Amino acid sequence: MTTPKNNFTDERANHGVRGVTILGSTGSIGINTLDVLARHPDRYRIMALTANTQVERLFEQCQKYLPPKAVMLDPHSAIRLKEKVRKSGIAVEVLSGIEGLNTVATHLRTHIVVAAIVGAAGLMPTLAAVRAKKRVLLANKEPLVMSGHIFINEARASGAELIPVDSEHNAIFQCMPIGYTTGAAPATVKRIFLTCSGGPFRTFPAEALVSVTPEQACAHPKWVMGPKISVDSATLMNKGLELIEACWLFGVTPDQVEIVIHPQSVVHSMVEYVDGSVLAQLSNPDMRTPIAHALAWPERIESGVKSLDPFELARLDFERPDLNRFPCLRLAYEAARAGGTTPAILNAANEVAVQAFLDRRIGFTDIPRVIEYTLKNLPANRDNQLGTVLSDDVHAREMAGRYVTERLSHMSQGVT
Ligand code: NAD
Ligand code: MG
């Protein structure tokens, strides 16, 4: 069997081709990123792909893209992947654990790191990439919610570039004035309109929310995404997390961010200036647009996304969100205003609650209950240094987990 030549030894890597590592390559953002990269083999070289436990999918990606390195967080999965790689004869080195993720996030020949792990688990490898002065494409919003100030400060210290991939934040980034620096609100920016599709239950009868199933919650009307963000989009916690993400990335206060329900998901957000101008970014709802933008910025590259047809659109609607129907959004506004480690506690309790809902241990309307209980009973710290954030994350998970087990699981038996 001949060993296919891998990217790492390809001599074009020395001629302006940029090395890309994807943290979380087997997920929805990871797969969309691979699709964009495959359209530009002259510009980008895939240096490393990573996953948690999805051995089959990562192996298929290794065969197709031949990255020099692949990482499985889970050590048993890494052993299985190593065996498959050995048998197939491809030249891919398999690493494991958080050390493996940190190695590929900071590797010398990696210029761009795509942060596409889901949840707080992405915090340390993404931070490692920032400290190593990479261009970091931020899809993984939970670490930013927990500790956005740390990312901004570390990027300033190292000279790393933070480019948002979350479609709304990428839109805002595109609407910012020339010379804007991450984390510092330009004095000319008055307000941000953060758009929100409204999720699958925007027009659902409020009393029916109690019996919503994970399948219904994951069937988003406009986007195909991983299960966690799909549930967050259904509770509107996703918009709450994005509110906090926007405050860090653009240096604005929660009161400068107006959440706007926009069911067509074509206007991805808007920025209002002091002179009354409002700039918006529009495109079809397809993550390959923000991914391509963030990869190539300040240049533009083909993304494979279908052209927007204004005649087909016919109309664009905008509504105010209903904070009573979607309490997660209210809780996120409160956490954003409270500051300190409150957003980290909100995020941790939400991760626990969403997993319990996906595991059918609690109902859909229990999700905000778990979060509110944890926020009320765990005193937040004003100090939000990394160590404090990480320890409050652990405490919040323990408290939320206990609440689910002791107070809610038995009530939801029979949830299908
Ligand atoms: P996903 O569930 O589809 O994929 C998650 C990826 O992370 C997988 O590759 C998985 O193997 C890996 N992973 C999971 N747990 C891990 C762990 N503990 N350690 C290391 N790797 C782990 O998720 P997704 O929908 O692609 O979302 C990824 C991130 O991007 C999330 O933070 C989400 O909020 C954000 N985001 C996603 C979209 C979207 O359209 N999917 C849009 C905007 C932002
Ligand atoms: Mg988004």
Side-chain angles (χ1 to χ4, degrees), residues 84-293:
K84 282 176 162 292
V85 162
R86 190 188 61 75
K87 279 193 184 143
S88 70
I90 54 174
V92 176
E93 184 189 356
V94 178
L95 308 175
S96 75
I98 186 75
E99 305 77 23
L101 292 177
N102 287 342
T103 300
V104 298
T106 57
H107 196 279
L108 263 183
R109 298 183 72 174
T110 286
H111 306 96
I112 300 174
V113 174
V114 183
I117 290 175
V118 60
L123 197 154
M124 292 318 286
T126 307
L127 197 53
V130 171
R131 288 176 173 154
K133 202 186 170 185
K134 306 300 181 193
R135 168 173 291 202
V136 181
L137 271 52
L138 290 166
N140 184 200
K141 67 193 82 185
E142 294 87 350
L144 279 179
V145 169
M146 297 165 72
S147 55
H149 58 300
I150 296 170
F151 278 84
I152 305 285
N153 291 340
E154 293 279 358
R156 281 199 191 126
S158 70
E161 294 175 306
L162 297 180
I163 320 260
V165 164
D166 208 350
S167 57
E168 298 77 3
H169 305 74
N170 182 267
I172 298 163
F173 182 87
Q174 294 198 43
C175 296
M176 280 288 165
I178 296 163
Y180 145 81
T181 49
T182 310
T188 52
V189 168
K190 195 169 167 188
R191 255 190 319 173
I192 287 174
F193 294 102
L194 187 68
T195 57
C196 171
S197 70
F201 307 130
R202 184 175 61 89
T203 56
F204 215 66
E207 59 284 2
L209 287 175
V210 71
S211 51
V212 152
T213 63
E215 289 73 20
Q216 285 173 303
C218 288
H220 195 276
K222 292 287 173 192
W223 303 94
V224 179
M225 307 179 287
K228 196 266 178 178
I229 185 176
S230 296
V231 176
D232 284 347
S233 299
T235 60
L236 296 206
M237 179 54 96
N238 183 49
K239 214 45 55 178
L241 299 178
E242 290 185 356
L243 159 76
I244 301 169
E245 185 185 3
C247 290
W248 290 128
L249 283 174
F250 304 109
V252 290
T253 64
D255 297 313
Q256 283 178 283
V257 183
E258 186 86 54
I259 294 172
V260 183
I261 304 291
H262 167 51
Q264 291 87 359
S265 295
V266 163
V267 175
H268 296 297
S269 278
M270 302 180 269
V271 174
E272 182 187 3
Y273 283 84
V274 287
D275 63 3
S277 301
V278 177
L279 302 191
Q281 183 263 348
L282 283 72
S283 59
N284 278 318
D286 186 322
M287 287 309 292
R288 291 175 300 172
T289 294
I291 290 168
H293 171 267

Side-chain angles (χ1 to χ4, degrees), residues 382-396:
R382 293 246 40 91
D383 158 37
N384 57 3
Q385 297 305 301
L386 188 58
T388 321
V389 167
L390 294 176
S391 77
D392 277 4
D393 171 81
V394 171
H395 294 142

Side-chain angles (χ1 to χ4, degrees), residues 334-377:
E334 288 167 8
R337 291 193 184 105
T341 57
T342 312
I345 295 171
L346 172 98
N347 176 67
N350 181 55
E351 286 195 29
V352 170
V354 170
Q355 194 55 54
F357 169 67
L358 287 169
D359 294 342
R360 299 175 202 274
R361 298 179 63 209
I362 65 172
F364 184 74
T365 49
D366 289 330
I367 295 174
R369 282 196 194 119
V370 175
I371 302 164
E372 188 149 30
Y373 174 85
T374 311
L375 285 167
K376 273 203 179 122
N377 290 285

